[in-house]
Amino acid sequence: TRYISVTGVQTCALPISATRRAITSAAMLLQDEKGDDVLAEAKTGPTSRPRGRLGCAFGWMMLRVNGPMNRRAVEALVLQHGETVLEIGCGPGDAIARLVRGRKARRIVAIDHASDMVEAARKLNRAPVRDGLVDVRECSVSEMPFREGSFDAALAVNSVQFWPHLRLDLKSVLRVLKPGGRFVIAMRMTLEPRARRRCEMLLRALPNAGFVEVTMEEAATRAFRIALISGKRPIWAGGPYDAFVA
């Protein structure tokens, strides 16, 4: 068996075959139309909360494989100088680093429900964390402690499949965005036609949660095609958001 050496988060080795099985187990599963969630994931699988040696390997794979997807998601936010950004499911922190290098965000807050990924993201972004530009927290999207209207923009890269309650969690994201705030979801377009069905479900779920101007575009990276799904919190008072949180 060949092994890969994983560094940057912590040193470990894992059989390539085991790593492939871990990545494969992250494929999304769909519930039927009567299910409580629009999307469902094998949430108890090894990739839902990476930890230990397997989590170390998965974090390393995320850095290598998700880099182009993180870049496109950050670009899709179209950040303006002085804005505040929330990343949901930050993994080992690559998108955070790209936001920092963009030099536009006034403050970047990132959450992940896996403690090993939080530690890895803090290490990768040690200097901006120390300077107060970046705040990385262990937190679930379902339990975000932020006040209403805290962020100008939010992104979730390849993480929506792990959200416990998609409909409620999308409403939570809407709540913490400022009026007019943007939300970008990036997903891999693999396992056709299942991937396209997932995207279609999200295109319905976002308006149902109160988002407006919901759009989707596809883009190609060197490794795979991705979908970028975006929406905004309404600007006007008495918009869809008010009805959903009443």
Side-chain angles (χ1 to χ4, degrees), residues 15 37 49-50 52 87 114 132-133 145 155 173 180-181 198 217 219:
D37 293 333
R49 193 182 293 266
E87 184 184 9
L133 172 63
L155 73 160
V173 177
R198 292 195 296 263
E217 65 173 299

Side-chain angles (χ1 to χ4, degrees), residues 4-51:
I4 57 174
S5 176
V6 182
T7 58
V9 179
Q10 63 186 64
T11 302
C12 69
L14 196 71
I16 289 178
S17 59
T19 303
R20 286 173 178 162
R21 286 195 300 271
I23 300 301
T24 301
S25 69
M28 279 194 231
L29 301 177
L30 295 173
Q31 285 185 328
D32 61 41
E33 294 180 356
K34 296 181 180 179
D36 291 333
D37 293 333
V38 177
L39 296 177
E41 170 71 20
K43 297 185 177 82
T44 58
T47 57
S48 65
R49 193 182 293 266
R51 60 170 64 90

Side-chain angles (χ1 to χ4, degrees), residues 167-188:
R167 292 181 181 134
L168 295 177
D169 294 339
L170 286 174
K171 294 175 188 177
S172 295
V173 177
L174 192 77
R175 177 185 65 81
V176 301
L177 284 173
K178 297 178 182 179
R182 294 98 62 202
F183 181 38
V184 172
I185 299 172
M187 302 176 63
R188 295 181 191 175

Side-chain angles (χ1 to χ4, degrees), residues 232-246:
K232 294 181 179 181
R233 176 174 170 174
I235 295 177
W236 59 87
Y241 173 75
D242 297 316
F244 278 95
V245 298

